Amino acid sequence: MTASALKTFLDHFADVLDNDARPVSRSHALRLRRMAENLPQVSDASPSRVPIQAACETELATYAVQSPLASALADLLPALHITRSKSYLANPPSGDFGENYGYGVICGPEGGPPALIRDPEIAFGLMFLGPKTHYPLHHHPADELYYTVTGPSFWRAGTADWTGHGTDAIIHHPPWLPHATLSAERPLVLLYIWEGDLDTDAAFIPDTVTADTALVSVGLDAT
Ligand SMILES: [Fe+2]
């Protein structure tokens, strides 16, 4: 069951990446298609959950009716080890961040969190954010691509201000580009792909831009 659900997920993830003309998206799509055609051994990822998961699952279910990728991801969720970064929990960027965030690795290198499949060169999986949750400015040496399964959400990178996105958006962060993510009034479900240095964790960096302007722009109280 997990292998067939994983193959379906990989095919649909490749489909949405192929809709984007950027070489990084096409390159990932090709790799995911090859992975789907010649599926690596699927392991038991020791399924586990995080506090915000139920809200994000309910949100994802509303998109699964229209989106084959959202549906495939919903089918995979029971097999995934959803977790939280120990360093983020030890030093959360805000008081309730730990209750409003989680991620699960679908494919990643040996030595990382439990995953369904292992690959030394690429890591991908999902991220959950609760409503009005600011994942503040951070950077890392890995090249990163996000896909917005649900929405809306706000994104900023480098010195640019917040940009809003709906669903089916692809956001690319080259290595070391500082970036931040902000959910709006709904729980948020994202897919990510990391390539390059998979061993170095993300690190928060000082920022002067708050989430307030983005939240107020969509009529939300920033507090
Ligand atoms: Fe990142």
Side-chain angles (χ1 to χ4, degrees):
M1 167 56 192
T2 303
S4 65
L6 179 56
K7 184 178 185 317
T8 301
F9 168 81
L10 292 170
D11 282 331
H12 289 308
F13 198 3
D15 287 344
V16 300
L17 293 170
D18 259 338
N19 289 334
D20 185 51
R22 284 170 283 186
V24 64
S25 300
R26 295 292 170 84
S27 167
H28 285 318
L30 185 60
R31 189 196 290 261
L32 294 181
R33 289 202 196 284
R34 286 181 176 152
M35 201 176 269
E37 286 168 9
N38 190 11
L39 199 66
Q41 182 178 351
V42 180
S43 301
D44 177 359
S46 305
S48 66
R49 298 175 63 84
V50 294
I52 197 58
Q53 186 158 343
C56 288
E57 283 175 336
T58 300
E59 186 73 1
L60 185 63
T62 68
Y63 287 85
V65 179
Q66 299 288 333
S67 162
L69 179 55
S71 176
L73 179 59
D75 289 344
L76 265 190
L77 274 179
L80 297 181
H81 183 92
I82 312 297
T83 187
R84 297 176 288 177
S85 159
K86 286 191 175 66
S87 64
Y88 285 6
L89 291 180
N91 289 297
S94 57
D96 58 354
F97 187 78
E99 299 300 303
N100 284 285
Y101 131 92
Y103 74 103
V105 183
I106 296 170
C107 172
E110 295 287 351
L116 292 178
I117 48 179
R118 294 294 183 189
D119 190 297
E121 297 181 352
I122 192 168
F124 56 84
L126 66 90
M127 191 167 85
F128 294 143
L129 287 180
K132 294 171 63 173
T133 300
H134 182 198
Y135 185 7
L137 202 68
H138 60 282
H139 64 181
H140 40 71
D143 183 284
E144 178 181 76
L145 182 149
Y146 270 107
Y147 177 80
T148 57
V149 184
T150 73
S153 55
F154 296 93
W155 301 76
R156 55 181 294 263
T159 57
D161 203 349
W162 292 104
T163 299
H165 288 289
T167 58
D168 196 34
I170 291 173
I171 298 102
H172 178 226
H173 303 133
W176 294 117
L177 178 68
H179 54 277
T181 306
L182 171 67
S183 55
E185 71 274 26
R186 311 286 311 168
L188 184 64
V189 181
L190 306 167
L191 291 170
Y192 72 87
I193 302 177
W194 267 28
E195 187 176 31
D197 181 347
L198 306 180
D199 298 325
T200 305
D201 289 339
F204 289 122
I205 48 183
D207 193 10
T208 57
V209 178
T210 69
D212 298 6
T213 52
L215 291 174
V216 170
S217 76
V218 290
L220 294 176
D221 184 342
T223 57

